[in-house]
Amino acid sequence: MAKWGMVIDLEKCAGCQACTTACQMENTRQPGENWQDVLYYTEGEQPSPQLKWFPRPCMHCEEPSCAAVCPTKATYKDQDGFVLIDWNRCIGCKFCMVACPYGVRFYTDEKPAVEPNVKGVFPSNEGRQWNPPWKMPDATEDPTRGVGVQPPGVVSKCTFCTHRVSKAPAGTIDLDPDNPATRDFTPACVVTCAPGARTFGDLSNPNSRVSKLLPGRWRRCRRAVQPRHPQGLRSRSR
Amino acid sequence: MNARNQTRGAVDGVLAVAAIGLAISLAVAFTHLISQGHASFNTASSGVTWGLPVVTYVFFALTSTGLTLVASLALVFGLKAFYPIAKRCIWLSIASIVAGFASLALELGHPFRMIWAIPLNFQYQSPLLWMGVFYATFLVLGLLKFRRIHGGDWDSQGSRTLGIAALTAEVFAALTLGSAFGMMAMRPFWFGPEVPVNFLLSGATTGAAFAVLITYIAHGGLERMPQKVRSVMTGAMPKVLATAVALYFLMTLYRMVNGLWSNADGLQVWDVIVRSPLYWLEMAALVVAFLLMVGPDTRARGPMQVGAALLTLVAAFIGRYEFVIGGQLVPLFKGAWVPGLIDYVPSLAEWMLTIMALSITFLVYAMGERMLDLSAAPGPDTQDAAPDARIDAPLPRAA
C-alpha cells in the first residue's frame, strides 16, 4: 500500500492562492469553506513589517484526532493514508471540527461567508447542498470518501483529491504534474501550483521525491513539534 | 405501601406555562430551521462550532446526573431523610435528559442517522459514543427504577441494584461528557484532567438546585409541605445545596485564577470572560446562594431557598455557556488577519432551543406530578426510621 503525502516548500510558495482556487473548482467549494487555504501573517512592526504566508490543506495526520472522536467512524484513515469522511455515516455532530487542531473541517449548513449566496442560484434536489454546472461528473462523486458536492448536515474536508490519486497506476511513487502520465492523477492544488512548491508522492517509498525532499531535521523533529504527525508536510529549501 | 401525600402548589401553572413555552419555542425554532436550516444558528466553521444548543444540552444532561445523585442519597446511600423527594428527583432527571437530548438532536446534522450509525460503527475511542451509551443506559435503568418505586418497591434487592446501576451510568455519563471537552489538548481552555470532575460537580449543583425548586413548586411553600418533606427541606437539603455551591464556586474561581495566570494560547479568553458582567453575575449569584443556604436563619426559609436555587441555576447556566463557548473563541491555526477572538452571540433560533429544553423539563415534570404521585415515599416502617437516619436534625424554622 502507498502512503500518500505532500511536501510543500515554503520558500517556493508565493502565497498566490492558485491552489485554493484550484481546490474550489475541483471540489466545488465556496469562500469560507476552502479545504485548501493560504494563511497570511504579519510579522514585525512598522517601519519594517513583513508579510508571511502558510499554505494549509488538511494535514492528513497519521494519528488523526478527528477520526478518534468521530462516534460513527464516518471519519477514517484509509489504507493509503488519506483521512476521509463517509458522508453516509456522518451525523453532523461536529466533534471532529472541534477536535481538529488545524481548523480544516467544514460544516456548510451555515450563513454564507460572502453575499450573495451563489448556492441559491443552483439549487439541488439530489441530496447535494447545491448543483453548479461546473461540479465534477456524477460518476466521480463518492460520498463514502467525501468526494463531490457536500450534502446537507455533514462535515467535509480536504481529500487529497483521492478521486484522482486513487486512479494512479499501481506502483506509482511520484505524482508529478509535469509528467503527462501522472498529471491526471495528481491533486488539483499540486497541478496548479505555478512555483512548483508542492510535491506529492508515496512517503512509504524511500525513492519517491517526497521522501527525498524531507530533510533529516524534519524527520527528527516532527514527532516532537507536531501533535498529530501530519502527512501534509512542509520543508524549506536548503 | 406508599405514604402518598397530596401535593398542591403551582403545578398546574407550571404545566400551562411550560406547554405554552414549548409550543412557542418549537414553532419559532422549526420555522427558522425549516426555512434556513442550521444557517439560522450563529455558528460557523470559522467561528464557534458548538453554540448555545450544545450549552443547553450540557446543562440539562449534567442536571440529570445531579438529580440522580440527589435521589440516590436515599435510594442508594440509605439516607432515608431524602426519601420524600427521591421519586420526584428521579422523574425530573429523566425529564432533564430528554430535554437535553431534544436540544442536541436539533443541533445535529442527521439526528436520525445517529440512531443506527453510532451503535453499528461503535467507535470506542470516541467519548461521544460512551456518553451516549451511558445516558441511554441511564434512561432505561432510570425508567425501570422509577417503575419499581412507582409500584411501591423501594428497597428490594432488585430495586436497590437498579438504583446503583442507574447512578453509575449517570456518573460515568457526566464524567465522559467532561472528557469530551477535557481531552481537547488543542484547546487549553477546555483541556485538563479535572474537567470531568468539574462537570460532575456542576451537575450535582444544578441537580440540588432543581430538587429544591421543584419541591417548592410541588407543595407551594414550606408551610404546606408534609412533615417528612419539611424536615429534609429545612435540614439536610439546604446544606447539600450550600456544599455543592461552595465547591462549584471554588472550582470556578480557581479555573479563572489559573487561566488568567497562564500564557498558553487559548487562555486569553479568560481576560475576556472576567471583563464580562455575566461572569461577575455568575460569581455573585453563587456567593449569594451560598450565603443564603449557609445562614441558619435564611436556609430554613422557603423564599430564601427558592431564591438560592434560582440563583444557582442561573449561575450554572452562565458557567456552562462560558465553558463551552469560551473554548472556541480563539481561532485554531488561523492567519493574523482572522480576528484574535471570535465574536459570538446566539441567534433567536438557538435561544428557542434553550427555551424548548427548559419547557420540556418542566412540562414532563408537571405531567408526572399530576399523574404519577411524585410525592410518594416508602411506607410507615421506613418513614418511622427516617429521623434516626437523617444526616442532620431539622433546624428550627424561622418565624
Side-chain angles (χ1 to χ4, degrees), chain A residues 2 61 71 102 119 133 143 174 232:
Chain A
C61 304
Y102 302 106
K119 289 181 179 177
D174 293 317

Side-chain angles (χ1 to χ4, degrees), chain B residues 51-63 103 202-203 205-206 209-210 248 252 278-279 281-283 285-286 309-325 344 346 350-358:
Chain B
L52 187 62
V54 174
V55 176
T56 303
Y57 165 70
V58 171
F59 178 82
F60 282 99
L62 294 180
T63 296
S103 176
S202 167
T205 308
T206 52
F210 258 111
Y248 180 64
T252 306
L278 273 181
Y279 178 76
L281 173 64
E282 173 193 0
M283 299 304 272
L286 289 173
L310 288 172
L311 287 170
T312 303
L313 292 174
V314 169
F317 191 83
I318 294 171
R320 288 306 98 201
Y321 181 89
E322 283 167 350
F323 184 88
V324 174
I325 304 301
Y344 169 76
E350 291 175 84
W351 277 115
M352 285 301 113
L353 295 191
T354 302
I355 294 173
M356 175 201 73
L358 194 63

